Amino acid sequence: MADQTNESGGEGPRLLEHEYDGIREYDNPMPGWWLLTFAGTVIFSVIYLFNVGPVGNGKGRIADYEAEMATAAALQPATPSRPAAAALLAMASDEEAVEEGEEVYQSYCASCHGPDGGGLIGPNLADANWIHGGSPDSVYNTIAVGVLAKGMPPWEKSLTPKQMSEVTAYVLSLRGTSPTNPKPPEGEPYTP
Ligand code: HEC
């Protein structure tokens, strides 16, 4: 640099006075921009230290993380609670609920279970026999979680809890009806 002179008075690094075990060193200061950056990190570290727990008054990253997780958890809908068997049975004899359920059924279920529940790819839903149980709870559960390995999709996530109950009520109301082209019974007979 221009302001540095060596021992012979010319330009170049200056030799420092001291000597240790015959070793002498040049005066090579760090460049200004480097020193500024370094000083900046020191200042930043002090500010940072006072912003985190437990040293400073900040909450700290673990508490921040937990707060964010709690907010996210609060945004998640609670797992839909299952309706009581008695409520489903009552709905099965409630004309309005059954009609709503039939609409859901015709949109999502008829392609596999037939337009009147007589069965196509899926089993007959109007007879007394059930592969996965014919109690209101069992029927609701089969519709909710499906039987993926056998081609019955789970519906709990794609239907609202209301639609779930209504379509279950509709399926329960099919018992004893006579579909036009019924599939033979499968599974065990269920007596309410
Ligand atoms: C992609 C075809 C398909 C669709 C769509 C479908 N199912 Fe199924 N469903 C099946 C099959 C296949 C089975 C038989 C599962 C087995 O053999 O274990 C079944 C079984 C069932 C059972 C159990 C029957 C028993 O005997 O235990 C119920 C109840 C049922 N479905 C209701 C519904 C409802 C309600 C819907 C509409 C929301 C629906 N399914 C949509 C294919 C389907």
Side-chain angles (χ1 to χ4, degrees), residues 104-105 108-109 111-113 121-125 129-133 139 142-143 147 150-153 155 159 167-168 171 186:
V104 178
Y105 180 89
Y108 301 108
C109 323
S111 54
C112 286
H113 291 282
I121 303 163
N124 187 333
L125 298 176
N129 283 44
W130 297 91
I131 306 167
H132 300 285
V139 173
T142 312
I143 301 171
V147 191
K150 297 289 182 62
M152 163 69 180
W155 294 97
L159 298 180
V167 80
T168 306
V171 170
E186 292 168 74

Side-chain angles (χ1 to χ4, degrees), residues 45-89:
S45 73
V46 173
I47 297 169
Y48 182 81
L49 189 66
F50 281 99
N51 250 313
V52 296
V55 183
N57 53 10
K59 279 199 295 293
R61 63 203 155 79
I62 292 171
D64 281 347
Y65 166 79
E66 274 163 6
E68 272 178 38
M69 290 303 280
T71 324
L75 290 174
Q76 288 285 324
T79 4
S81 58
R82 299 277 169 97
L88 289 171
L89 276 181

Side-chain angles (χ1 to χ4, degrees), residues 132-146:
H132 300 285
S135 71
D137 287 335
S138 312
V139 173
Y140 187 98
N141 185 60
T142 312
I143 301 171
V145 303

